[in-house]
Amino acid sequence: MGRRRPDPLLERIAVMKRFPEVSVPEFTRILPGQRRSSGHLEPGQTLLTADGIRLNAVHRAGVDRRWAFVLCHGFSGSWRTGDMAQIAKQLRPYGGVIAFDFRGHGQSHGRSTLGDLEVFDLHAAVEWARVLGYENVATVGFSMGASVVVRHAGLCGSGVGPGSATDAVVSVSGPGWWFEKSTRPMKLVHWLVQHPVGRAVSSWHLKTRILPNGWDPVPESPMELVGRISPVPLLVVHGDADKYFPLTHAEALYAAAGEPRELWIEPGFGHAEAAAAREAAGREMVGRIGRWVRALPVGVAVGEDGEVVRGDGDGDGDSNGGVSSGADGDDVGVSGDAVGGAGESGYKGQSSDLGEAGEVMEGEAG
């Protein structure tokens, strides 16, 4: 008889048991490297997550290396969509942009777990930002991606200062709890996820491969973890015209969060990246998010009594000379700008935090 194949469910449960007490160094092992082009106009990069999933990702340089915005799309999205490209364009005046496809989406490997194991995906992208030399990292998520940025920051027990998992968290149109079924769009999402025909439709039509059999165990919800983000700044953004998640989700997140925190209720704003990119008010809002992040104090430290001590918010970061001359600024991920030449010297943590640093991931990621 051949060797018995490991049970993927048991492997998944074993991974999830690590989350509550995991520390940043053991949370991820990423290996950034140039993908071989397979005819795609934007080959991007391959990031390897801590649990072995290859992700398709891209980097676009901004005005300097003071802030990186790590963008997290919603369910069935991709960094290659016009919506995410527009959002990246709006943010580039305020910092560099890293975007990626979550597992099971676009050209990334694996299957979607609807905000559960996606925390590994986000952490790989955050670590890449550190490798590229960014001083501070803001994680910005939309819908499902919003649940991931909140869970990631909470699970990491982020803290502040050198080696922090993230320096700012922005949740746009995100859920506060799981299993929302009060709206028609969310009823459709549940059918896509829970029914075999729905998963087939999702894979064929939405290009999103979903892990079958659901969650076991059910992961901690964003509202259960948001209180652990403090003292990292949190911004919760929600539209009063959101057809997926009622305003009560944003209000609950804000109420459960610690300081510093802000809540923006956007009049007439719809849902997630589509509203942020296609509506004039949404594009203006994205610019406000960029300015909010850029104005945050840097040079954070923690005093002996645990009080957060922050430096001057006008401090200058190291500049890389601005946006590369070959970029047109319209899309996130113009080929040739992916690595940017920044070494590991700007990474906040220790080199051991990266695992087997220096090994290059190559090959097709889709």
Side-chain angles (χ1 to χ4, degrees):
M1 296 178 63
R3 179 180 298 179
R4 184 177 181 180
R5 297 182 62 184
D7 187 330
L9 178 59
L10 293 178
E11 289 184 338
R12 177 171 172 267
I13 293 174
V15 170
M16 287 303 298
K17 284 181 178 178
R18 296 169 48 209
F19 280 23
E21 61 279 338
V22 79
S23 66
V24 173
E26 62 191 8
F27 191 72
T28 186
R29 296 169 67 84
I30 75 156
L31 305 170
Q34 183 68 46
R35 289 180 57 223
R36 295 170 184 164
S37 175
S38 62
H40 298 294
L41 293 178
E42 308 293 349
Q45 295 285 118
T46 297
L47 302 183
L48 182 67
T49 69
D51 58 340
I53 303 298
R54 296 184 182 219
L55 307 177
N56 185 235
V58 75
H59 166 242
R60 292 296 289 134
V63 291
D64 54 34
R65 299 280 167 156
R66 181 179 169 194
W67 278 98
F69 295 87
V70 178
L71 301 184
C72 299
H73 61 74
F75 174 71
S76 78
S78 168
W79 71 260
R80 297 170 182 272
T81 65
D83 291 341
M84 293 302 289
Q86 176 64 39
I87 291 168
K89 179 181 178 181
Q90 296 296 121
L91 289 175
R92 285 185 65 197
Y94 309 102
V97 173
I98 287 176
F100 63 96
D101 287 351
F102 278 120
R103 62 185 62 203
H105 289 72
Q107 295 192 42
S108 290
H109 285 195
R111 296 191 180 214
S112 174
T113 65
L114 284 301
D116 181 359
L117 300 183
E118 282 75 9
V119 292
F120 284 133
D121 306 349
L122 174 55
H123 203 78
V126 169
E127 291 289 282
W128 189 28
R130 304 298 191 195
V131 170
L132 290 171
Y134 285 99
E135 300 172 25
N136 304 278
V137 177
T139 54
V140 183
F142 300 85
S143 193
M144 183 189 80
S147 73
V148 176
V149 300
V150 171
R151 297 190 70 248
H152 168 257
L155 287 167
C156 285
S158 297
V160 291
S164 59
T166 184
D167 302 289
V169 179
V170 182
S171 165
V172 181
S173 306
W177 55 86
W178 307 131
F179 309 113
E180 173 62 63
K181 294 183 180 180
S182 69
T183 62
R184 289 188 64 184
M186 284 308 299
K187 289 178 182 178
L188 174 59
V189 171
H190 277 272
W191 178 77
L192 289 171
V193 172
Q194 296 173 343
H195 199 282
V197 175
R199 290 193 295 272
V201 170
S202 176
S203 179
W204 175 75
H205 183 64
L206 301 178
K207 310 301 180 186
T208 302
R209 288 84 61 197
I210 302 170
L211 190 72
N213 303 323
W215 288 328
D216 186 11
V218 175
E220 291 173 287
S221 69
M223 197 171 70
E224 292 175 289
L225 292 171
V226 69
R228 302 186 199 174
I229 296 176
S230 176
V232 170
L234 169 69
L235 173 61
V236 178
V237 182
H238 214 92
D240 62 8
D242 193 315
K243 295 181 179 179
Y244 285 77
F245 300 114
L247 276 177
T248 48
H249 283 264
E251 292 166 346
L253 274 177
Y254 178 75
E259 297 291 351
R261 58 181 179 165
E262 286 192 33
L263 174 63
W264 295 358
I265 303 300
E266 299 293 311
F269 182 73
H271 184 69
E273 58 260 49
R278 302 174 195 177
E279 302 172 3
R283 292 191 292 272
E284 185 275 332
M285 181 204 70
V286 173
R288 269 191 285 125
I289 290 173
R291 292 190 293 274
W292 181 85
V293 168
R294 189 75 181 185
L296 290 174
V298 294
V300 179
V302 179
E304 294 181 358
D305 58 356
E307 182 180 356
V308 179
V309 181
R310 295 180 181 271
D312 184 358
D314 295 326
D316 294 326
D318 295 332
S319 174
N320 68 345
V323 180
S324 63
S325 59
D328 59 9
D330 292 334
D331 295 307
V332 53
V334 176
S335 166
D337 212 336
V339 175
E344 297 178 8
S345 59
Y347 175 63
K348 286 188 169 184
Q350 304 298 317
S351 59
S352 60
D353 293 355
L354 299 177
E356 300 171 11
E359 184 176 344
V360 177
M361 290 299 305
E362 296 183 328
E364 187 60 34

